[in-house]
Amino acid sequence: QVQLVESGGGLVQPGGSLTLSCTASGFTFSTYTMYWYRQAPGKERELVAAIGSIGGSTDYADSVKGRFTISRDNAKNTLYLQMNSLKPEDTAVYFCNAVVPLGQYWGQGTQVTVSS
């Protein structure tokens, strides 16, 4: 079974940093593009970042470009999101996502709260 497990969320002050992790199992992780999404209260779930199967291609939402870095370690079946210069507007539940031939899969999410 496909399984995605996010970790690393927490409370951080504006301007601070956090790194999120997503551990994947149940599919050939190294074959697929991976994604980070986030969902704030009252908002639609939005795409934050994407990374190609070998990590050579990345894409970011305009709101996080220059502050967030997506990466992956295929040997560890793990996806990362390094978040710097965090703003209160970044407060959301962050989700790992994979699209494979049989469907789209999500982790349970990890809460990131940016507040003084």
Side-chain angles (χ1 to χ4, degrees):
Q1 301 88 345
V2 172
Q3 186 173 346
L4 303 171
V5 180
E6 301 96 336
S7 62
L11 175 64
V12 64
Q13 293 185 349
S17 298
L18 282 174
T19 299
L20 308 182
S21 298
C22 169
T23 300
S25 60
F27 66 104
T28 307
F29 178 78
S30 62
T31 302
Y32 294 97
T33 297
M34 296 294 295
Y35 307 85
W36 284 102
Y37 282 77
R38 67 185 182 188
Q39 188 166 22
K43 300 283 190 177
E44 296 283 332
R45 190 169 296 187
E46 64 174 342
L47 178 64
V48 175
I51 186 166
S53 60
I54 62 170
S57 179
T58 59
D59 198 15
Y60 299 91
D62 288 343
S63 59
V64 308
K65 196 169 297 181
R67 300 188 297 119
F68 290 12
T69 302
I70 188 170
S71 62
R72 66 194 295 161
D73 186 340
N74 285 342
K76 296 181 178 180
N77 285 358
T78 302
L79 177 72
Y80 303 97
L81 185 67
Q82 181 181 322
M83 305 183 294
N84 298 323
S85 302
L86 283 161
K87 304 175 180 180
E89 307 94 272
D90 297 317
T91 296
V93 178
Y94 284 72
F95 297 91
C96 180
N97 178 71
V99 180
V100 300
L102 292 179
Q104 184 171 205
Y105 296 89
W106 301 91
Q108 83 290 342
T110 186
Q111 175 70 233
V112 173
T113 302
V114 185
S115 177
S116 299

